[in-house]
Amino acid sequence: MAHPIYLKKSDCKNCYKCVRHCPVQAIRFSGNLAHVIADECMLCGQCYVVCPQDAQKILSDVERVEMLLDGDAPVYLSVDPSFVAYYAGTGIEKFNEAAKALGFVTAEEAAKFGVVVKREYEAVIENERESVVISSCCPSVNLMIQKHYPDLIKHLSDAMSYVQIHSADIKSRDEDAKVVFVGPCIARKDEVNRQGSTFDAVITFATLVSAGLVYFFNVDIQGYVGALISL
């Protein structure tokens, strides 16, 4: 499984900015190039954000999503609740129109399944099964604990993420379904590749409306998401 963050060697200018900003010191320099240490990386994306040369790249799931859409199985889009902040003024109805234009069956909000996770946490607290519970909703936090604070793993909740629960719900309604999650976080790319994952691919909000994605799918969605692309 390829690591979600990789280096475009020709663009790295040996500025060490990524090293200085990595919160877990998961980047080393060798041969005047930055190298992300996969076994230590928590996929927070900070190196990608701060790199002035745009040398740190995010592995794209576009090809995987394209293959799913070209297949016979119905493909659903699970949408992270933060889309309302990323695409100001756009509701799920408009998002759903864009998803259908790209070939998805529909787009559904994953937010409502956060309530299921909340109930699990409440049950743990009410039954006093654990005195300290660390939320497992953020895959980046999960990776940080697993790789850098193993003594705290016992406090990490074993509740499924709202993404996993939403995807499982979709597949309970349509047993042939494939699910693509779209959100702002690159750490979900690790979650989707873990054994037992209920969703099948991850794309970011930026990728969803990028010219590259539209090109790959050969779909003109300007009429559906023109407002999104202009942001």
Side-chain angles (χ1 to χ4, degrees):
M1 181 181 67
H3 190 65
I5 299 177
Y6 67 96
L7 180 75
K8 186 178 180 180
K9 295 180 180 180
S10 60
D11 289 345
C12 183
K13 303 302 181 185
N14 197 22
C15 71
Y16 284 78
K17 197 165 187 178
C18 58
V19 173
R20 292 194 297 270
H21 284 82
C22 179
V24 291
Q25 298 180 336
I27 300 176
R28 309 283 191 275
F29 260 81
S30 176
N32 292 324
L33 294 173
H35 297 275
V36 176
I37 311 302
D39 289 342
E40 300 177 16
C41 177
M42 59 182 280
L43 290 177
C44 66
Q46 187 66 12
C47 58
Y48 171 78
V49 172
V50 302
C51 180
Q53 285 82 35
D54 195 29
Q56 298 287 2
K57 300 293 184 181
I58 305 300
L59 190 67
S60 174
D61 261 4
V62 167
E63 186 175 346
R64 186 190 300 193
V65 175
E66 184 186 24
M67 290 178 62
L68 291 175
L69 290 173
D70 285 343
D72 296 329
V75 185
Y76 292 74
L77 191 65
S78 174
V79 185
D80 190 88
S82 61
F83 84 93
V84 294
Y86 197 94
Y87 306 121
T90 299
I92 191 62
E93 295 81 8
K94 183 62 68 175
F95 210 104
N96 189 32
E97 290 181 37
K100 289 181 177 179
L102 286 168
F104 294 94
V105 173
T106 188
E108 298 183 2
E109 289 189 77
K112 60 183 179 181
F113 292 92
V115 176
V116 180
V117 180
K118 173 177 173 288
R119 289 171 182 165
E120 173 62 22
Y121 292 154
E122 289 174 341
V124 170
I125 294 172
E126 183 178 349
N127 297 327
E128 298 183 349
R129 299 205 303 262
E130 294 287 347
S131 59
V132 176
V133 181
I134 302 174
S135 169
S136 58
C137 283
C138 175
S140 186
V141 170
N142 293 344
L143 289 172
M144 179 182 68
I145 291 174
Q146 291 162 7
K147 295 179 178 182
H148 297 278
Y149 301 96
D151 290 345
L152 297 179
I153 290 178
K154 61 185 178 183
H155 298 299
L156 189 61
S157 169
D158 59 1
M160 294 174 65
S161 70
Y162 64 92
V163 181
Q164 299 280 6
I165 297 173
H166 183 209
S167 299
D169 178 75
I170 291 173
K171 292 183 177 182
S172 71
R173 291 180 269 130
D174 186 344
E175 61 181 15
D176 296 323
K178 300 295 183 182
V179 180
V180 175
F181 176 74
V182 58
C185 176
I186 65 170
R188 292 286 175 201
K189 293 178 181 289
D190 175 81
E191 184 179 0
V192 72
N193 288 314
R194 289 183 175 266
Q195 185 177 3
S197 175
T198 60
F199 57 110
D200 303 283
V202 174
I203 49 177
T204 63
F205 288 136
T207 300
L208 181 64
V209 296
S210 69
L213 188 65
V214 175
Y215 170 77
F216 277 120
F217 292 156
N218 195 26
V219 172
D220 180 9
I221 61 170
Q222 292 291 334
Y224 293 90
V225 292
L228 306 187
I229 296 174
S230 66
L231 294 175

